[in-house]
Amino acid sequence: MVQDNAVTSQSSAPGGLSSISVSERIAKFLILLFELLLVAAVVSLLNIEGHRHFFPVLCFIIFGFAIHAWLPMRHRIAFFALLSITCVLFVLGVSNGLWVLCVGGALIGICYLPIGFGLRLGLLAATGTALVFARVQFPLPFWPVLGSMFMFRLIIYVYDTRHETTKPTLASSISYFFLLPNVCFPLFPVVDYRTFRDTWYDEDEWEIYQRGVSWIVRGLVHLLLYRYIKLNLVPNAYELVDVPHIALFMSTNYALYLQVSGQFHLVTGLLHLFGFNLPRTHHWFFLASSFSDIWRRINIYWKDFMAKIFFFPIFFALRRHGSSVGPAIVLGVLGVFVCTWLLHSWQTFWLLGKFPVTANDAFLWLGVGTCVAVNAAFDSRRSVQRRRSEWWVALSVSMRTVVMFALVSLFWACWTKPGFLVSIWGVMDRPGAGHGLFVVLAWMLAAVAIGMILKLFLDWQASRERKPSDEDFLSSAKLHMAGLGVVIVFMSPWSSSLFDSDIAQKIADFRADPTAAEDAEKRLQSYYEDLNMAAIQAGPLLISFSPEAETRRAQAYGFYKVSRTTDLYQGVELIPNVKTELDGSPFSVNQFGMRDRTTLTLDKPPATIRIALVGSSIVMGYGVSDEAVFSRVFETRLNSEHSDRTHRFEVLNFGVGKQWAPHRLIRIQRKVVKFKPDVLYYFVHQDEFQELASHPAQLIAQELELPSQHLKDIANKSDITRGMAPGAILSRLQRYETELLGAVYETIVDECRGRKIVPVWIYLPVPSAELDIAKAKLIPIAVNAGFLVCDLTDWAKERQGLFPTAEHHPNAEGHQLIADALMRMVQTTPEVLPSAKP
């Protein structure tokens, strides 16, 4: 008891520390720690924000919280600052981390210089200009993190500290700029400095901590909802052929903003663990009932930032010059939205290295700004209205909410997909559009009715004083532990036996987070999803926590060492005469830009059968040495094992990574046919439908000639007109993806037959649950096009360890097995090896 009293007297200091006994303190701490461990288990199990290295950073934060919660109050802000700096080095590594800390430290140091405010501001402006130039000239990996920390926060810090007589403590400034979770979330809420400082332990510390856990869990729920909607509900562009799909596309694209709200809840929840009792960042934004209401509910920190820095200075300046309230509000709001438009491009510049200023964005932001300005002016002049019945009020609120959701969804769709309005008009001209419109209106009326009933119920509950009270610490903890435990039980791999195979597969796919995979980058991305693609380059310490992601990044970097961009037709090509090392293996490119021998000649030697291999990075041989690529092994075995010794075989490797079927067609037309091969082996995996629509869409949008009459026929069939928006062209072509692949194949077969080349289509799948589904779709297309079809589905024979990484690049043993499968193919299908031409 004496010990408890001693701790109680120490903990009863002002600033949010609780007057509780040691036993209670330990109990609450252990409960919080257990909740956070459950959160970490869910994050790891469901790979939440895995491409942002969130799990190891979360473990780091939990470890820091365990120490921070027991420190004396006077040491906590300094510890948080030290923890934030350490996290920068932990995530980015020493080299990139020091760049962030040194440049950031220089900017903070300028704010502390004992000179006039104008001189400090000028020095900051000059330094910022130099950093902009450096960002353009030197695209180094630390820029997204550095920019995220200072691009808006420095403006707020200078504004809030301008008139203070004493400078903030260095620990406080470091904590504010290098906010702990910022290192793995470049898209970060615009935290106000004064709010950050004044809310630190302004309530009971355990209530702040538990509120933080609640917000973290809410953030996880938002991110998982985003994942589900992205994967299962958002229609593809080629599906936008009727009014219901248009409406679904609009509403689900708006719902994808859950990614941002989820990340912001995570960020603020984690900051609560260190005493920063920050307010909420979003408040039921899907239920906004007016333009002003959506501005107040969505991204509240941004709204407060714009109001402080732009709206109030404009408003009061106009009022001082004699303007009345209404015009001052309208002009102030319009100024805010002009700045919002430009600052979104400023944010894109620091995170992605580009500064987009488009007419589409200007029209959208100024249009929304006008609506908000008119709404705000109307609200400022609205007099007290006569009392209406509860039914009428509920109906009005519900109807305005549904209409507002529809309008914001339309804005989001136009922002995501330029030319969206053109797509709508095209759909409305189709037969049956009226029926589709009726269906959508019926759903909207149903939503209005449900909303009205819900509003009446809530009003009735409030009138009876049944408003639910805030949960206490223990009740909140029990609820979150139970919810997190259920997620862990049902999402764990060992729970697959509880479900049938289809459900188990869906759970496994959901758990893997395909929204962050490479194929997800091919989907239509919104503005915020684009910003979330900003890469965080992990340092050496972090690589051990996420070796798979780091290997994928290293492989992408390695490929760009040996390739270069060309024109829109071919995309990329191998750089001739390159000799380097990738993944520890020698990688050389000959004088023709092929992963092949330098002794190769353009003219075919006499008594030689040439086999041209065309395909992806697997055919190219990424990850293995020159001599281990299956093309070399296959050639050696053909020449040593084939019974006819009057001819020799040359196997020419035209494989290139990061190319798809339309690019391979161009490679065949431009390069392969010049070598006069006798047979073409066209290798296919499950990803054969990639880029089928976007490649010809880009050519048409740039008014370039399509590479075959078959593709031109598809373009004509899709009713594409001259001058049509790129998004509309892509949308129309995506309806004909099967026909487009058939057109590509038919063109390849025509090219081969015109030159007496035997066209062979070879299905070489990588391990996947979808290999049989893909085969069933692809083989009929290849047969109808005229290919000689060969199926090597069983080439791996369920062998383990053939693919060192998730990128499905086989190792040397895997290439040996592919060569074995090809030898069996030529033995069982002799027509794939024609006789030599004179």
Side-chain angles (χ1 to χ4, degrees):
M1 179 65 69
V2 174
Q3 186 179 8
D4 285 359
N5 290 337
V7 175
T8 298
S9 63
Q10 180 185 6
S11 303
S12 60
L17 290 180
S18 306
S19 299
I20 58 176
S21 66
V22 168
S23 58
E24 289 179 286
R25 188 178 181 86
I26 292 175
K28 288 189 172 182
F29 172 77
L30 292 177
I31 290 172
L32 280 165
L33 194 60
F34 184 65
E35 287 182 273
L36 291 173
L37 291 176
L38 289 177
V39 167
V42 170
V43 169
S44 176
L45 185 64
L46 294 172
N47 194 29
I48 294 175
E49 297 295 319
H51 61 297
R52 305 221 156 272
H53 321 294
F54 180 52
F55 175 69
V57 172
L58 178 61
C59 294
F60 184 89
I61 290 174
I62 293 173
F63 174 77
F65 164 75
I67 299 174
H68 182 273
W70 294 96
L71 290 175
M73 178 64 74
R74 64 181 180 276
H75 296 314
R76 291 190 180 184
I77 193 68
F79 177 77
F80 179 78
L82 179 62
L83 199 68
S84 298
I85 290 174
T86 306
C87 192
V88 171
L89 297 172
F90 169 66
V91 173
L92 299 181
V94 175
S95 177
N96 289 315
L98 285 177
W99 272 109
V100 170
L101 296 176
C102 291
V103 176
L107 292 170
I108 297 173
I110 293 173
C111 297
Y112 277 82
L113 290 176
I115 56 178
F117 175 77
L119 290 175
R120 286 202 308 273
L121 197 62
L123 193 54
L124 284 172
T127 306
T129 302
L131 290 176
V132 167
F133 176 79
R135 177 71 175 100
V136 173
Q137 296 297 321
F138 309 103
L140 299 172
F142 66 84
W143 286 116
V145 174
L146 179 67
S148 176
M149 291 175 170
F150 287 88
M151 62 184 172
F152 298 131
R153 226 170 284 165
L154 189 61
I155 299 172
I156 300 172
Y157 182 82
V158 171
Y159 185 93
D160 282 346
T161 59
R162 176 181 180 182
H163 299 296
E164 293 187 353
T165 55
T166 59
K167 293 289 184 185
T169 64
L170 186 59
S172 174
S173 299
I174 291 174
S175 298
Y176 175 65
F177 284 106
F178 299 107
L179 282 169
L180 185 54
N182 205 161
V183 73
C184 63
F185 289 106
L187 185 59
F188 203 82
V190 185
V191 179
D192 182 75
Y193 175 70
R194 189 165 293 171
T195 303
F196 169 81
R197 182 189 60 190
D198 294 346
T199 58
W200 190 58
Y201 285 110
D202 62 344
E203 293 183 31
D204 175 76
E205 61 177 319
W206 301 105
E207 295 298 328
I208 294 175
Y209 297 154
Q210 185 57 39
R211 186 177 299 119
V213 173
S214 298
W215 287 14
I216 291 170
V217 172
R218 187 178 302 180
L220 297 181
V221 171
H222 285 200
L223 289 172
L224 293 177
L225 284 173
Y226 159 80
R227 184 185 298 185
Y228 178 81
I229 293 169
K230 180 78 173 179
L231 293 177
N232 299 285
L233 299 183
V234 180
N236 291 306
Y238 64 85
E239 296 178 298
L240 304 183
V241 295
D242 53 32
V243 176
H245 277 91
I246 290 283
L248 181 63
F249 180 81
M250 290 167 51
S251 57
T252 53
N253 262 269
Y254 177 28
L256 294 181
Y257 186 76
L258 285 167
Q259 183 187 34
V260 178
S261 65
Q263 290 176 344
F264 283 15
H265 275 92
L266 275 181
V267 165
T268 50
L270 292 170
L271 292 175
H272 274 69
L273 299 179
F274 298 92
F276 300 103
N277 193 21
L278 296 170
R280 68 179 71 206
T281 61
H282 297 78
H283 179 59
W284 295 104
F285 48 91
F286 289 144
L287 301 181
S289 58
S290 68
F291 288 104
S292 297
D293 198 25
I294 187 66
W295 179 244
R296 287 189 293 264
R297 289 173 178 265
I298 195 168
N299 204 346
I300 298 171
Y301 286 16
W302 180 264
K303 180 263 297 180
D304 293 342
F305 165 64
M306 299 303 292
K308 172 188 282 191
I309 303 300
F310 298 103
F311 176 77
F312 287 119
I314 294 173
F315 175 81
F316 287 116
L318 291 172
R319 292 287 287 155
R320 284 194 301 270
H321 287 81
S323 174
S324 58
V325 173
I329 289 176
V330 170
L331 291 175
V333 171
L334 287 175
V336 162
F337 275 87
V338 170
C339 295
T340 295
W341 165 45
L342 296 175
L343 288 178
H344 274 73
S345 292
W346 175 249
Q347 181 172 240
T348 303
F349 170 74
W350 285 108
L351 298 191
L352 301 181
K354 56 185 180 181
F355 195 95
V357 179
T358 66
N360 182 68
D361 288 355
F363 173 78
L364 290 173
W365 281 112
L366 295 179
V368 172
T370 301
C371 294
V372 174
V374 171
N375 199 163
F378 179 77
D379 288 344
S380 69
R381 300 178 60 183
R382 179 179 294 170
S383 59
V384 179
Q385 298 182 354
R386 64 185 177 86
R387 182 176 178 81
R388 299 180 182 270
S389 69
E390 293 180 355
W391 286 87
W392 175 258
V393 172
L395 175 62
S396 175
V397 170
S398 180
M399 186 176 296
R400 284 187 282 115
T401 300
V402 171
V403 171
M404 197 65 219
F405 182 88
L407 290 175
V408 177
S409 298
L410 177 61
F411 166 82
W412 226 266
C414 293
W415 196 16
T416 300
K417 187 175 183 290
F420 180 73
L421 289 176
V422 177
S423 301
I424 294 179
W425 301 135
V427 169
M428 294 303 295
D429 289 337
R430 295 188 172 200
H435 174 73
L437 185 60
F438 174 79
V439 171
V440 172
L441 290 176
W443 278 105
M444 293 179 68
L445 288 174
V448 170
I450 294 172
M452 182 178 69
I453 294 171
L454 183 60
K455 170 69 174 168
L456 289 170
F457 173 75
L458 293 175
D459 290 343
W460 172 80
Q461 190 179 46
S463 66
R464 297 175 62 88
E465 297 182 353
R466 292 185 178 181
K467 183 179 179 180
S469 57
D470 293 337
E471 293 177 311
D472 58 21
F473 177 90
L474 192 57
S475 299
S476 175
K478 288 179 179 177
L479 177 64
H480 291 110
M481 285 189 288
L484 293 167
V486 169
V487 171
I488 291 172
V489 168
F490 283 97
M491 287 292 172
S492 296
W494 53 262
S495 67
S496 298
S497 59
L498 301 175
F499 309 103
D500 62 43
S501 58
D502 291 340
I503 295 176
Q505 184 61 50
K506 289 180 180 179
I507 292 175
D509 292 341
F510 184 78
R511 193 168 57 234
D513 188 16
T515 59
E518 183 177 347
D519 62 336
E521 297 178 18
K522 306 298 181 182
R523 296 172 179 260
L524 201 59
Q525 300 285 324
S526 69
Y527 167 80
Y528 292 108
E529 289 179 297
D530 280 338
L531 291 186
N532 270 301
M533 298 305 295
I536 303 293
Q537 180 167 317
L541 286 175
L542 201 61
I543 292 175
S544 60
F545 289 89
S546 53
E548 201 171 270
E550 191 61 29
T551 300
R552 185 181 295 114
R553 187 177 298 107
Q555 288 180 345
Y557 171 73
F559 179 72
Y560 291 124
K561 284 169 55 178
V562 299
S563 67
R564 64 188 179 191
T565 58
T566 57
D567 55 12
L568 279 178
Y569 283 97
Q570 194 159 344
V572 296
E573 66 179 3
L574 298 182
I575 303 172
N577 300 313
V578 164
K579 290 186 178 180
T580 185
E581 188 176 275
L582 298 183
D583 288 355
S585 300
F587 189 104
S588 59
V589 182
N590 69 10
Q591 66 273 26
F592 300 111
M594 300 162 56
R595 183 86 192 273
D596 216 312
R597 305 170 299 277
T598 56
T599 56
L600 188 68
T601 60
L602 187 61
D603 295 328
K604 183 173 62 174
T608 299
I609 297 176
R610 273 188 166 175
I611 305 172
L613 309 186
V614 175
S616 66
S617 54
I618 293 178
V619 178
M620 181 185 72
Y622 195 106
V624 296
S625 63
D626 296 336
E627 298 303 323
V629 180
F630 74 81
S631 58
R632 302 279 185 96
V633 179
F634 180 49
E635 180 184 271
T636 300
R637 292 189 59 182
L638 278 176
N639 286 315
S640 62
E641 299 178 18
H642 200 268
S643 58
D644 186 359
R645 299 304 179 92
T646 62
H647 307 104
R648 63 181 299 274
F649 296 92
E650 279 190 349
V651 179
L652 312 184
N653 189 346
F654 293 94
V656 179
K658 307 296 182 183
Q659 285 193 344
W660 312 104
H663 304 110
R664 294 172 196 140
L665 166 60
I666 302 299
R667 189 162 178 81
I668 291 168
Q669 291 175 325
R670 288 183 176 181
K671 181 164 290 189
V672 175
V673 296
K674 293 180 180 180
F675 286 81
K676 299 180 180 179
D678 299 284
V679 60
L680 170 72
Y681 287 179
Y682 182 92
F683 288 87
V684 173
H685 316 303
Q686 296 96 311
D687 58 358
E688 189 69 355
F689 282 99
Q690 292 267 26
E691 297 284 338
L692 275 172
S694 62
H695 183 270
Q698 292 178 57
L699 297 179
I700 295 171
Q702 296 295 323
E703 298 185 358
L704 297 173
E705 188 80 6
L706 291 176
S708 82
Q709 185 59 46
H710 298 295
L711 288 170
K712 293 176 184 178
D713 292 341
I714 301 297
N716 293 332
K717 181 179 178 181
S718 60
D719 296 327
I720 294 172
T721 58
R722 185 181 179 87
M724 185 176 286
I729 297 172
L730 176 62
S731 176
R732 298 198 177 195
L733 286 177
Q734 283 179 323
R735 304 170 197 165
Y736 300 95
E737 283 197 320
T738 301
E739 291 91 337
L740 283 171
L741 184 58
V744 170
Y745 283 179
E746 289 171 10
T747 307
I748 294 174
V749 171
D750 289 347
E751 294 284 351
C752 291
R753 287 178 175 169
R755 295 170 174 83
K756 298 182 180 179
I757 302 170
V758 178
V760 180
W761 185 94
I762 301 175
Y763 186 54
L764 185 77
V766 295
S768 168
E770 299 180 353
L771 59 88
D772 290 330
I773 298 174
K775 180 171 70 172
K777 292 169 63 178
L778 291 170
I779 287 181
I781 302 174
V783 171
N784 292 335
F787 272 110
L788 180 61
V789 173
C790 296
D791 182 9
L792 302 186
T793 299
D794 298 328
W795 70 271
K797 299 179 181 177
E798 299 182 355
R799 296 281 289 275
Q800 301 297 320
L802 299 179
F803 300 91
T805 72
E807 293 299 296
H808 298 301
H809 291 132
N811 57 17
E813 182 186 359
H815 277 262
Q816 182 68 52
L817 290 175
I818 295 173
D820 292 343
L822 290 173
M823 289 301 298
R824 291 194 297 272
M825 180 189 76
V826 300
Q827 291 166 5
T828 58
T829 315
E831 57 265 36
V832 301
L833 279 183
S835 59
K837 299 175 185 177

